[in-house]
């Protein structure tokens, strides 16, 4: 298989890589998709809620057959203290726009890679690309050990811990300041039990985001998603905070299981899997040059993720960037021009969606990392207000406004609250 | 749900690891000079541990391939002599069945 030549090689059969390969194959172009896992999806982890608009953009109508778990209809936000929690719980009306589905990546990526294959892509699994070959300033192939595969265009979609682009010197090394570590438990439970516990009917699903004691004061948060017959429970914590606090996130997730607001939801469940994965959260600050001569970088490898605090989005951006990379590659092949000037079209396309969203949220990460109150004082405040309102102990009643003011003063200074409020309003 | 140790959790996963060729290499002797030993508490699979002689032991089998140790350890990050972080080859390592 030495020195084979392809118009396009895509490295990584995650959502970005599968989307790119699918689009290219569908348009009739030869494309080789390389995946280091034994099968596509076997190395991938997500929360995960996927917004369906991205699937619709990729494969109109066809995505309805994809192995999606449940449509999210119940949204919950939980602020947690050590033993308590205040939860906002809303049910979205049917036919709301912007639907999202819970997904399990092992199934979803496998399905998508199969679709790419059926469209004509050559998918090779169990193949770890070790290097991008650069000749005369242009990416012209990849090395798999000693073997060399040549291509006019390389689409590098190798995920958050992207060794390829980094080793080729195309991107700067990512630093832990720009990365979060996610850990996740998939807990098996019967479908009906899940429906009863989360107050769901039929195939509807719930998404619960947690902030506060679940991360023991560190910047980050928790998530709980309902799948068909399992729950995805996890934590996402800033990697540099873990290092400086010397806290073990492997213990943190077990403590979360025992939290009084979580344990009744998972009781009786069987652990099906324990996983971990990095998340690039640096936003535009860490974004590398996403194209060069003969090369485009897509998905997590390019840092296309937004963590707004209440939503974590990377899967939809991975798909959108995969589509943009494929369309740019097609134009480039038609023009027989693989230069950076030609591939600049990729960034132009991304500015319409991925990059403009990242611009909108560019200050959020700083706010989330620097506002310590989000993880300790404010969840306590929410609980105290709740307690005060609902505590009736025979002592003289207080007006609710007074209860709230007293609670606020006991947990934070008014000045701090105003400062955080203003910062939050400007960055969120 | 009862609390599970990391090893109990890893036992539910599927691994096809190659025992002979670890994808991550560290230098035990050199690690003695490391002041932070951040790998120990930053690894979600607790693959880095100190033995009774305060020597760092690393077991690549059970690695979740997240890459966090590569970020927190300067020596792995810079591929200093005796240190190397790579993905497993030929489809080896963890195989997530859920993801
Ligand atoms: C805990 C957690 C929760 C998350 N929650 C959400 C969520 O709810 N919603 C959301 O939208 N996003 C979420 N994200 C982010 C989302 O998972 C990612 O943004 C998304 O998976 C990125 O897709 P990708 O295709 O770019 O990368 P990946 O899915 O990581 O795919 C990269 C692929 O490349 C392969 N690969 C890597 N190196 C090589 C190589 N050298 N040779 C061959 N193959 C290689 C890998 O095996 C993998 O298949 C979450 C992430 C985590 C970790
Ligand atoms: S952080 Fe790196 S150098 Fe330090 S003990 Fe761990 S592996 Fe060794
Ligand atoms: S890659 Fe992740 S799981 Fe594997 S040893 Fe490093 S930190 Fe631990």
């Amino acid at each position: 298989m030495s020195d084979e030549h392809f118009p396009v090689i895509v490295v990584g059969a995650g959502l970005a890589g599968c989307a790119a390969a699918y689009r290219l194959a569908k348009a009739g172009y030869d494309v080789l998709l390389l995946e280091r896992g034994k099968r596509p999806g076997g190395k991938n982890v997500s929360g995960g809620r996927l917004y369906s608009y991205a699937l619709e953009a990729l494969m109109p109508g066809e995505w309805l057959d994809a192995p999606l778990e449940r449509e999210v209809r119940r949204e919950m936000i939980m602020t947690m203290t050590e033993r308590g929690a205040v939860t906002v719980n809303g049910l979205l009306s049917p036919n709301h726009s912007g639907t999202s589905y819970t997904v399990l990546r092992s199934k979803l990526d496998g399905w998508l890679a199969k679709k790419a294959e059926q469209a004509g892509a050559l998918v090779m699994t169990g193949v770890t690309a070790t290097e991008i070959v650069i000749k005369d300033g242009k990416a012209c192939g990849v090395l798999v050990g000693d073997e060399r595969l040549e291509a006019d265009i390389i689409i590098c979609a190798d995920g958050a811990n992207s060794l390829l682009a980094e080793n080729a010197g195309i991107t700067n090394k990512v630093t832990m300041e720009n990365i979060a570590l996610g850990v996740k438990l998939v807990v098996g439970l019967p479908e009906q039990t899940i429906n009863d516990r989360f107050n769901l009917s039929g195939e509807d699903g719930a998404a619960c985001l947690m902030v506060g004691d679940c991360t023991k004061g560190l910047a980050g948060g928790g998530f709980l998603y309902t799948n068909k017959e399992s729950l995805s429970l996890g934590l996402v914590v800033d990697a540099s905070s873990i290092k400086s606090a010397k806290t073990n996130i492997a213990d943190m997730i077990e403590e979360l299981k025992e939290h009084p607001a979580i344990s009744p939801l998972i009781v009786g469940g069987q652990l099906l899997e324990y996983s971990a994965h990095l998340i690039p959260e640096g936003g535009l600050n860490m974004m590398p040059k996403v194209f060069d001569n003969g090369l485009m970088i897509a998905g997590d490898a390019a840092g296309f993720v937004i963590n707004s605090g209440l939503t974590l989005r990377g899967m939809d951006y991975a798909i959108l960037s995969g589509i943009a990379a494929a369309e740019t590659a097609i134009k480039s092949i038609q023009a027989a021009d693989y230069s950076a000037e030609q591939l600049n079209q990729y960034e132009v396309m991304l500015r319409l969606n991925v990059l403009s969203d990242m611009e909108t949220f560019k200050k959020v990460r700083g706010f989330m990392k620097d506002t310590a109150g989000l993880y300790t004082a404010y969840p306590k405040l929410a609980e105290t207000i709740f307690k005060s309102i609902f505590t009736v102990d025979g002592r003289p009643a207080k007006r609710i406004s007074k209860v709230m003011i007293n609670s606020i003063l006991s947990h934070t200074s008014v000045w701090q609250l105003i400062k955080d409020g203003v910062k939050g309003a400007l960055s969120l | 749900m009862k609390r599970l140790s990391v090893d109990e959790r890893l036992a539910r996963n599927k691994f096809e690891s190659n025992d002979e060729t670890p994808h991550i290499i560290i230098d035990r002797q050199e690690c003695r000079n490391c002041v932070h030993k951040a790998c120990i508490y930053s690894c979600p699979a607790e693959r880095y541990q100190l033995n009774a002689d305060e020597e760092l032991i690393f077991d690549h089998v059970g690695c979740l391939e997240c890459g966090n140790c590569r970020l927190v350890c300067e020596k792995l990050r810079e591929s200093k002599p005796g240190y190397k972080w790579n993905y497993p080859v030929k489809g080896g390592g963890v195989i997530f069945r859920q993801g």
Side-chain angles (χ1 to χ4, degrees), chain A residues 143-166:
Chain A
L143 287 185
V144 177
D146 300 333
E147 264 176 300
R148 183 174 158 142
L149 301 165
E150 294 192 348
D152 296 323
I153 297 177
I154 316 288
I155 298 175
C156 186
D158 58 340
N161 186 30
S162 167
L163 297 185
L164 275 191
E166 194 176 299

Side-chain angles (χ1 to χ4, degrees), chain A residues 48-55 63 68-76 92-93 95-103 203-209 225-227 310-313 315-316:
Chain A
R49 155 210 293 240
L50 172 56
Y51 289 89
S52 57
Y53 81 96
L55 287 173
W63 64 272
L68 306 170
E69 294 293 318
R70 292 172 183 244
E71 183 184 337
V72 177
R73 292 279 313 283
R74 189 171 287 286
E75 301 277 0
M76 297 186 257
L92 302 176
S93 41
N95 306 322
H96 60 102
S97 64
T99 55
S100 66
Y101 291 81
T102 55
V103 298
E203 297 188 344
D204 290 350
C208 177
L209 278 307
Y225 293 109
T226 58
N227 304 311
L310 296 179
T311 52
L312 174 57
R313 290 172 58 188
M315 289 193 276
D316 52 334

Side-chain angles (χ1 to χ4, degrees), chain A residues 278-302:
Chain A
L278 297 182
I279 301 154
E281 289 197 339
L284 289 179
N285 305 330
M286 72 175 281
M287 204 184 84
K289 192 159 85 179
V290 295
F291 65 93
D292 207 331
N293 294 314
L295 180 85
M296 286 175 275
I297 306 177
D300 273 12

